[in-house]
Amino acid sequence: MGKWMVFSAWPYINSEPHLGTLLHLITADYYARFLKGVGEEAISVSGSDEHGTPIEVEAMKQGRKPVELTDEMHKKVLELLKQFSVELDNYSRTDNEVHKEFVRDFYLRLEQEGYVFKQQTIQLYCEHDKIFLPDRFVVGKCPFCGYERARGDQCENCGRLLEPTMLIDPKCVLCGNTPVKRQTYHWFFDLPRLSDKLRAFVAGLPENVRFFSMNMINEGLKPRSITRDNKWGIKSPFPGSEDKTIYVWMEAILGYLSGVKELELGGRPGLFEEYWKSPDTKSVYFIGKDNIPFHSIILPGLLIASNAGYSLPTYISSTEFFLFGQLKFSKSQHVGVWASEALQIADGEYWRYALLSLRPERGDSNFSWADFQKIINNDLNDTIGNFINRVLKFVSEKFDGVVPEQRQLTTDDKEFISKITSKKREYIDLNYSLKIKDAVKAFLESGYIGNEYLSGQKPWDLIKRDYDRACTVIYNSVQTVNHLGFMMSPIMPVKSAGLLKQLNISKFTAELKWEAINPGHKINRNDVSPLFSKIKIKKA
RNA sequence: GCCGGGGUAGCUCAGCUGGUUAGAGCGCCAGACUCAUAAUCUGGAGAUGAGAUUAUCCAGAAGUCGAGGGUUCAAAGCCCUCCCCCGGCACCA
């Protein structure tokens, strides 16, 4: 049995994360908890991605140092993650020393392996802001359609792809001055040389990732520049490149490695080699479709090129987007739901449940307040919460909080037991196949089955005329609560802990074995209370 | 332009290696129950109309998963043409 590394895409912290970004962090946290829950050895890592031009520019606008900005933002993200019950083994940041050193060593090694070359390029430079301008930081007249506000990478009006130098009358987007062309040197990663190896790797990826990536390879990979002329970033290690920094993507992506290294240095000797260099290690990356190529091509490319025996990604689980009333979430347009807003509306754990059950695994999925409310009120509260509550209340009121014995099983009981057991098995299997949305659904369906059983068996009726039957039905229902708790615990860790307390047990059983809570066990009847409550959302 | 994804009940979606009468949840209608947080459970209509019949019912034919063709004993899943929506097309993070 191999070990597992669970990763979430590192959020770029130029602003607060929105639901789309949060989704991957929550999923990674969920998945790592699931794995640990079934007894796998797993570590989970992510962190704040904090270098690069957008943050540098934002800091410039505010008249602050970039690091002040990201210190603040990173702290805020940590705070937010806590509220969403995201507790990865390491949630790091790219400005930490371990990462920086790791990155520099890594690229020096890559150079030794012969995958780095230096080349001259021409780029637009703003003399006023003293900054080389990335494509999107230049606007001007489109040479094809004449649209005045075409960006350096693409004209929004006619859709044509552009080069910044093609723009007529280019302007710096920051200050409006005309940038100048300036010669510079950059160090490049020789990606094309890895085409064949990457093609073999990509062939094993899931379809939604594979098509896209294979296409890029077939169109011909291009060398990827490693360096930038920015100040805010990791100092480039190549001789002669002292005034340059590493391009933010090319270093942040190595956080998956440095984050594990950091864990090792934090007191787990040997961890890095054990995980990253073992052929048995499985790795899962939870990402959005917008950064597929970085995980399917660039990261594996870097890993292969380093020739250091790192294990390549095993699973890349890419989701589509959440749309918000048909529109894509967007920071600039202010479309979408931000993390702190979300927390004002509902408990972080409710969001975990909702986001995991809406997870856009197949196509873009619409997020609407009505759906959200329905998921919380009907699914979580009415189906799951109410089932648990009616069982525990019953045990408290009618059995003095003591779990009754199982007597003679009827056909109905046996059928019920087998239904719940197979839902649990299904839940586990679906998780292993990374069908998380379906796994969460299996959890919900277990709630339907439980309620159906209670309504059909009517223990409140039985207790008056057939005590043995009542015992059996309630015994089975209590076992069901344990199994539900098991499925719930990675989804809503805090709520599950509350349930453990109500049940007066230390953990939920991962096994499929029916009896997990013995007859005669006393639950904490004074703690029994509904786990969830309904929410009401005012129209936005 | 190229690549990919989507278009299935009022809504959100599942089904798509072709195979029984196209499913679920929500919503709607009716009923049951009262242990439980006005929660739960059951049944029904609903992705189609028309003809015939006094009516219920039954039988037959036809239609039905964006549109239209095709392949097949059999298509929501495959092929072709087309329409609509979304995303991407790498130095944006």
Side-chain angles (χ1 to χ4, degrees):
Chain A
M1 197 148 82
K3 298 170 194 294
W4 290 78
M5 298 192 286
V6 181
F7 299 122
S8 157
W10 290 42
Y12 193 67
I13 55 167
N14 59 339
S15 74
E16 190 184 300
H18 60 216
L19 295 185
T21 314
L22 216 49
L23 172 68
H24 311 302
L25 290 159
I26 288 175
T27 310
D29 181 75
Y30 163 84
Y31 202 68
R33 286 178 194 269
F34 162 75
L35 289 172
K36 290 173 185 174
V38 292
E40 299 276 3
E41 276 186 81
I43 52 171
S44 52
V45 169
S46 186
S48 296
D49 178 4
E50 54 186 322
H51 295 133
T53 308
I55 284 171
E56 193 173 356
V57 166
E58 182 60 31
M60 205 193 312
K61 276 187 201 158
Q62 296 182 19
R64 306 164 75 188
K65 287 183 183 166
V67 70
E68 291 171 11
L69 206 73
T70 57
D71 276 353
E72 186 184 306
M73 206 59 198
H74 179 65
K75 221 171 127 187
K76 191 168 175 190
V77 172
L78 285 175
E79 199 50 47
L80 285 168
L81 290 180
K82 207 167 150 190
Q83 297 197 61
F84 285 98
S85 310
V86 173
E87 288 174 22
L88 304 178
D89 290 296
N90 186 16
Y91 183 83
S92 187
R93 56 189 294 184
T94 54
D95 203 42
N96 84 69
E97 291 307 319
V98 175
H99 177 70
K100 292 196 235 178
E101 193 187 323
F102 185 91
V103 167
R104 282 193 286 261
D105 288 350
F106 187 94
Y107 280 107
L108 283 177
R109 184 182 177 114
L110 219 62
E111 192 182 30
Q112 278 165 21
E113 295 290 330
Y115 281 96
V116 177
F117 63 88
K118 183 181 169 185
Q119 195 175 298
Q120 193 183 54
T121 64
I122 306 267
Q123 283 202 298
L124 293 179
Y125 180 81
C126 175
E127 291 176 314
H128 174 265
D129 294 318
K130 298 187 175 36
I131 183 175
F132 278 94
L133 297 167
D135 292 1
R136 295 205 174 180
F137 284 74
V138 184
V139 291
K141 193 170 175 180
C142 172
F144 299 101
C145 73
Y147 179 64
E148 296 285 345
R149 303 276 309 165
R151 286 184 321 206
D153 56 344
Q154 182 171 27
C155 173
E156 287 176 356
N157 189 49
C158 66
R160 281 198 178 79
L161 299 178
L162 308 171
E163 295 289 328
T165 47
M166 291 159 78
L167 290 173
I168 298 160
D169 193 21
K171 303 278 190 219
C172 166
V173 84
L174 304 170
C175 63
N177 291 314
T178 305
V180 297
K181 286 179 191 171
R182 207 180 248 203
Q183 226 179 58
T184 181
Y185 285 93
H186 280 299
W187 278 252
F188 286 79
F189 174 37
D190 194 355
L191 205 49
R193 249 182 74 191
L194 293 159
S195 296
D196 289 339
K197 284 177 178 163
L198 285 171
R199 189 173 278 122
F201 168 73
V202 164
L205 294 174
E207 275 192 4
N208 62 342
V209 178
R210 195 200 322 146
F211 285 127
F212 180 83
S213 310
M214 201 55 102
N215 215 273
M216 274 175 80
I217 296 175
N218 290 340
E219 280 173 10
L221 295 171
K222 297 172 193 163
R224 189 96 194 177
S225 82
I226 301 166
T227 52
R228 285 290 184 281
D229 287 307
N230 298 347
K231 293 279 173 290
W232 177 231
I234 297 176
K235 293 267 168 289
S236 168
F238 308 118
S241 71
E242 288 75 12
D243 56 334
K244 297 185 189 292
T245 57
I246 311 249
Y247 171 44
V248 55
W249 250 118
M250 297 299 272
E251 48 104 339
I253 197 92
L254 294 173
Y256 296 124
L257 290 95
S258 72
V260 177
K261 190 78 189 171
E262 219 185 333
L263 268 180
E264 169 177 291
L265 298 173
R268 298 174 70 173
L271 189 82
F272 184 78
E273 297 265 320
E274 264 173 47
Y275 275 84
W276 264 107
K277 297 196 178 175
S278 158
D280 294 332
T281 300
K282 300 188 194 75
S283 53
V284 196
Y285 297 74
F286 293 105
I287 64 170
K289 65 177 169 185
D290 52 338
N291 46 37
I292 287 174
F294 294 97
H295 293 81
S296 66
I297 292 183
I298 293 182
L299 175 64
L302 290 171
L303 295 173
I304 295 169
S306 75
N307 196 23
Y310 293 127
S311 73
L312 299 181
T314 320
Y315 305 109
I316 299 176
S317 179
S318 156
T319 59
E320 308 291 305
F321 292 143
F322 276 126
L323 302 179
F324 191 74
Q326 307 296 316
L327 295 170
K328 194 186 161 189
F329 275 54
S330 147
K331 287 172 184 174
S332 53
Q333 311 280 327
H334 224 79
V335 176
V337 183
W338 272 259
S340 52
E341 279 181 83
L343 288 168
Q344 286 168 17
I345 289 156
D347 189 295
E349 300 237 325
Y350 289 7
W351 282 101
R352 288 173 69 102
Y353 178 75
L355 292 178
L356 291 171
S357 56
L358 285 170
R359 193 166 182 260
E361 290 176 3
R362 187 182 189 77
D364 288 350
S365 93
N366 278 299
F367 178 87
S368 75
W369 290 116
D371 284 350
F372 179 68
Q373 190 165 308
K374 180 252 159 192
I375 287 171
I376 300 308
N377 292 351
N378 300 17
D379 297 351
L380 192 54
N381 184 72
D382 295 349
T383 302
I384 299 290
N386 188 45
F387 171 75
I388 292 172
N389 193 239
R390 56 200 297 214
V391 173
L392 298 190
K393 270 278 172 63
F394 204 96
V395 174
S396 302
E397 307 286 320
K398 313 286 180 183
F399 291 98
D400 290 328
V402 177
V403 178
E405 277 181 40
Q406 185 185 52
R407 309 284 162 84
Q408 193 73 38
L409 287 179
T410 63
T411 321
D412 284 353
D413 296 334
K414 288 178 189 159
E415 199 178 304
F416 170 69
I417 291 171
S418 111
K419 271 188 193 167
I420 293 288
T421 311
S422 62
K423 274 295 163 200
K424 186 173 180 179
R425 184 184 295 118
E426 196 182 314
Y427 167 87
I428 294 172
D429 292 346
L430 286 166
N431 270 312
Y432 272 112
S433 1
L434 291 161
K435 291 183 177 167
I436 290 164
K437 186 180 182 171
D438 290 341
V440 173
K441 197 171 169 196
F443 164 65
L444 173 63
E445 284 166 349
S446 306
Y448 291 145
I449 296 167
N451 280 317
E452 188 186 330
Y453 181 64
L454 282 185
S455 296
Q457 299 300 319
K458 305 188 194 329
W460 51 91
D461 206 22
L462 291 171
I463 195 140
K464 295 176 201 153
R465 52 183 180 79
D466 187 348
Y467 190 75
D468 280 6
R469 276 300 298 147
C471 287
T472 304
V473 170
I474 291 302
Y475 167 89
N476 284 328
S477 302
V478 171
Q479 305 313 322
T480 304
V481 172
N482 164 72
H483 296 303
L484 282 175
F486 164 76
M487 293 186 257
M488 187 200 293
S489 52
I491 308 173
M492 292 165 287
V494 174
K495 292 291 179 188
S496 310
L499 179 56
L500 282 174
K501 199 174 165 214
Q502 294 192 21
L503 284 168
N504 189 26
I505 58 175
S506 61
K507 63 180 278 246
F508 301 110
T509 324
E511 286 82 54
L512 295 171
K513 188 170 75 84
W514 188 242
E515 180 166 296
I517 301 177
N518 301 325
H521 172 82
K522 211 165 164 52
I523 67 169
N524 272 328
R525 53 188 299 199
N526 294 333
D527 282 334
V528 170
S529 68
L531 279 178
F532 311 106
S533 53
K534 294 200 183 195
I535 57 165
K536 198 162 191 178
I537 295 170
K538 287 174 266 172
K539 278 179 199 165

